[in-house]
């Protein structure tokens, strides 16, 4: 299995509804790191998982729609608790819907032409959102990686 992860961040304001959220029921700000990972069983004929430049560009376009926004004022989020998990789902869904969705190139079946990939190939894992301040407080932030991508080959 091969994977490529691209990273960006968002800064938002929002509030929650429900006693379980305690003081976060009041308007507050949050900064999230957003990692989107693309996976393939095998590298394509160009020995890549995905066009890393396009993946970075498309993730930037998706998070740019949320950045510096008060989500309580956004119609798409009216009455919704915009938890970390919910925002990860929204970003993944929007990234998957992008017209220029980053995908590997494969020979097209029966035609012998190249195209920009097939739905679900490579597999997009749900973006991982990490509240930046929480990571820092827990001391797990480790060495800072440059914006862009990290490659990983796993089992």
């Amino acid at each position: 299995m091969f994977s490529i992860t691209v990273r960006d961040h968002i800064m938002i304001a929002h509030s929650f509804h429900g006693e379980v959220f305690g003081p976060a029921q009041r308007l507050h700000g949050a900064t999230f790191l957003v990692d989107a990972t693309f996976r393939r069983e095998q590298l394509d004929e160009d020995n890549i998982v995905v066009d890393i430049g396009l993946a970075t560009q498309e993730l930037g376009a998706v998070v740019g729609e949320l950045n510096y926004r008060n989500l309580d004022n956004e119609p798409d989020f009216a009455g919704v608790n915009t938890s970390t998990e919910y925002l990860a789902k929204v970003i993944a869904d929007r990234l998957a819907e992008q017209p220029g969705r980053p995908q590997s190139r494969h020979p097209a079946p029966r035609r012998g032409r190249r195209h920009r990939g097939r739905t679900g190939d490579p597999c997009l894992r749900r973006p991982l959102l990490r509240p930046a301040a929480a990571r820092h407080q827990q001391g797990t932030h480790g060495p800072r990686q440059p914006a862009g991508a990290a490659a990983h080959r796993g089992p």
Side-chain angles (χ1 to χ4, degrees):
M1 175 67 69
F2 296 87
S3 64
I4 292 292
T5 299
V6 294
R7 174 174 282 177
D8 209 324
H9 72 281
I10 56 173
M11 292 183 272
I12 55 106
H14 64 164
S15 60
F16 294 118
H17 306 283
E19 291 298 318
V20 70
F21 294 106
Q25 292 177 82
R26 293 188 297 273
L27 184 65
H28 63 278
T31 298
F32 296 97
L33 294 177
V34 183
D35 290 341
T37 299
F38 300 84
R39 294 184 175 163
R40 289 180 50 93
E41 289 293 324
Q42 299 294 321
L43 298 177
D44 73 5
E45 66 274 6
D46 295 317
N47 289 322
I48 63 174
V49 171
V50 67
D51 179 338
I52 199 167
L54 182 59
T56 301
Q57 176 184 331
E58 295 299 324
L59 179 60
V62 168
V63 299
E65 295 172 359
L66 302 173
N67 206 20
Y68 293 108
R69 304 254 194 257
N70 179 346
L71 300 184
D72 294 349
N73 296 335
E74 295 294 315
D76 288 349
F77 301 112
V80 174
N81 279 327
T82 51
S83 64
T84 301
E85 298 85 350
Y86 182 78
L87 290 175
K89 180 186 181 322
V90 166
I91 292 169
D93 292 346
R94 289 182 180 184
L95 187 58
E97 293 168 1
Q98 287 291 99
R101 180 178 174 194
Q103 297 189 359
S104 293
R105 297 167 303 279
H106 299 277
R110 294 187 229 122
R111 289 191 206 107
R113 295 184 341 188
R114 292 169 62 119
H115 65 96
R116 291 297 294 166
R118 299 184 185 106
T119 302
D121 190 276
C123 174
L124 169 65
R125 184 179 78 187
R126 293 267 183 229
L128 175 63
L129 270 66
R130 299 180 184 148
R135 286 186 47 196
H136 179 71
Q137 291 169 356
Q138 294 169 358
T140 59
H141 55 283
R144 193 179 160 125
Q145 290 186 345
H152 171 71
R153 180 176 181 197

